[in-house]
Amino acid sequence: MDKFSVAPPIKEVDLKPLPDWLELRDVQIKMFDNLAASYRKGFRRQSVMAATAAGKTFWAAVLFHRILSKKPLSRLIFVVPRNTLVEQAYQDFRQVLDIPISIIQGQDERINLSLPIQIATIQTLSRRVEKYPDLFKQYDLMVIDENHIRFEAIKNIDAAWIVGLSGTPYSKGLGLFYDDLVKSIPAKELTEQGVITRIKVLAAQRQIDTS
C-alpha cells in the first residue's frame, strides 16, 4: 500500500440489473422515500432508523446500485463495527450486486482501492486513515452500519454524504454528528406484518435472591 500516495482512480465495473428475486419490502421502500425527502431538504448526515431484520444491509446494497447506475465512478464505502460483520456484509452485497467488492479489514487480500465499493471495519479503516490520510478520503457516500456504536474515528473520514443505520439510534452524542433522523416503519407495525418475530418475554416464577 505504500506505493500509493493518493487514492487510485476508480475503475468502472460491469453493473448488472438487480436480481429478479430481489423485491424491496415496504419498510425498505419507506427508508428510501424518507431518505430522499431528507436529502432534498439538504441533509447530508442522516441516521436511518429501521428495526432489526428490516434488511438494512440489502437496502444499502441497493442504494449503492442506484448510485453506481447513475454515477459509475463513485467511491462508496460500507463501514461495520465488528470483524464478524464483514463477511456477512460482503456476501449480502455480492448477492445483490454481483460485482467485485473490496475489503478493508486487517490483512485481507481482497482489498482493491480502485473498486467503487469498499466494505471496511471501523478499526482497520481508522488505522489506515491515520497512516495513509490521502488514500482513504473523498468518498461520495459512506454508510455506517450499527451507527449507535459511536467511534470518534468516523469524524476523520472524508465523505460528501454519510448515512448511518440502526434500530436504536439513541446513543448520547449522535445528534452532534448527524443532522437528521430518518424514520421508517415502527417495529410494532413490522411485527404485525410478520416481518419480524413477536417478542416472547420470559420471567422467573420465583424472585431471585440477589443479596
Side-chain angles (χ1 to χ4, degrees), residues 103-121:
I103 300 290
I104 303 174
Q105 192 269 316
Q107 300 302 313
D108 198 303
E109 296 182 354
R110 288 172 290 182
I111 184 172
N112 183 345
L113 298 182
S114 65
L115 293 176
I117 296 179
Q118 311 285 324
I119 296 177
T121 61

Side-chain angles (χ1 to χ4, degrees), residues 100 126 146:
S126 61
E146 306 291 351

Side-chain angles (χ1 to χ4, degrees), residues 47-50 52 56 81-82 85 144-151 154 163-174 178:
S47 181
V48 178
M49 180 179 177
T52 301
K56 293 188 285 292
R82 295 183 294 276
L85 295 176
I144 306 168
D145 193 24
E146 306 291 351
N147 73 307
H148 57 273
I149 305 175
R150 295 183 61 215
F151 292 94
I154 287 294
V163 174
L165 301 175
S166 176
T168 55
Y170 309 126
S171 301
K172 184 178 180 181
L174 283 184
Y178 295 95

